[in-house]
Amino acid sequence: MTSAELRRRLIRPGLRAIPTPRTNPFALGYLALLLGTTLYARFGDPETVHRLQAVSSTDAHNLMVHPALSLVGSGLWVAGSVWMPYFWAFGVTVAPLERRIGGIRALGVFAAGHIGATLLSQGVVLGAVASGGAAPDVLDAIDIGVSYGVLASLGGLAGLLRPAGRAVALGAGLALIGNQLLSDPDLVTSVGHPAALLVGVALWPWLRRGREPRRPRRAAAWKAAAAEGAS
């Protein structure tokens, strides 16, 4: 492979994949927000941090009392005290999805996964408590983080990739879910994580439909150029 081919096949596509404020305002802006709340959670007053996270939690109790506040607030924190894994998670899911469909639609996929998986998982929690399969204190267990949105973005991105890339993306998502089920079989995330990935997959028709109108214009331009060349 010559140096020119190396630049064309590897270096240039790699550089284009690096998130920038111009290509990925949503992904980078969200990451900056999460970095801020993560630093505050680490260095802020522990009692205040706990109170804010408790109010933001999407546990069943909060969802019944102030659903909008908890659904939005829970997405402002990362689960745990380490931010860097989310930088890489956004880099391989949210950022490439945003480059393909735009920031507004990427936000829509992220929000659909976050909200849909949260409501489904907490509905399962309510059912488990009502049937005696779980202790009542699970209704107030703090549930924060952005993993549902990330998995939904991965699921949505898979539908825009070629078959090989789609298989890799879905396989990675299933591997992450399987690892969580084996290492930490928590009821909420055991339901929420696969649900979030399925939300992204369910959005494939909408995501693909948004990309179709460009093709006729491009094909028309090629035909016009060919006609001019022939004449």
Side-chain angles (χ1 to χ4, degrees):
M1 182 182 296
T2 66
S3 59
E5 291 175 332
L6 180 65
R7 289 194 298 270
R8 178 172 59 85
R9 295 184 181 183
L10 298 178
I11 298 178
R12 289 177 182 173
L15 291 175
R16 285 197 297 268
I18 297 175
T20 67
R22 180 175 176 272
T23 59
N24 290 110
F26 168 61
L28 293 181
Y30 206 149
L31 279 171
L33 175 63
L34 292 175
L35 177 60
T37 58
T38 303
L39 291 174
Y40 179 72
R42 179 177 297 182
F43 300 110
D45 175 59
E47 184 178 345
T48 303
V49 170
H50 178 76
R51 185 164 60 250
L52 288 174
Q53 291 184 342
V55 171
S56 303
S57 170
T58 47
D59 56 76
H61 177 264
N62 279 353
L63 286 173
M64 289 186 288
V65 176
H66 43 76
L69 174 62
S70 60
L71 285 169
V72 174
S74 62
L76 303 181
W77 308 88
V78 300
S81 59
V82 183
W83 173 83
M84 186 55 68
Y86 294 92
F87 173 82
W88 297 112
F90 270 63
V92 299
T93 61
V94 181
L97 178 66
E98 182 181 10
R99 285 195 299 272
R100 286 166 171 78
I101 64 175
I104 299 298
R105 298 180 78 203
L107 170 60
V109 174
F110 192 97
H114 179 70
I115 295 172
T118 294
L119 295 178
L120 178 60
S121 61
Q122 291 299 331
V124 171
V125 167
L126 285 172
V129 172
S131 64
D137 58 359
V138 73
L139 297 175
D140 296 305
I142 292 181
D143 182 25
I144 56 174
V146 295
S147 60
Y148 295 165
V150 169
L151 280 167
S153 299
L154 177 61
L157 175 65
L160 304 179
L161 301 177
R162 294 178 179 178
R166 185 177 310 140
V168 170
L170 293 177
L174 292 174
L176 290 171
I177 293 170
N179 180 69
Q180 181 269 319
L181 290 172
L182 293 174
S183 61
D184 182 23
D186 172 71
L187 175 61
V188 175
T189 52
S190 295
V191 175
H193 283 170
L197 186 66
L198 288 174
V199 168
V201 172
L203 292 175
W204 284 2
W206 175 64
L207 296 174
R208 290 168 173 170
R209 188 164 57 246
R211 292 160 58 88
E212 289 175 0
R214 297 181 181 180
R215 296 174 184 171
R217 291 198 296 268
R218 188 177 299 173
W222 287 342
K223 290 180 180 179
E228 290 178 2
S231 62

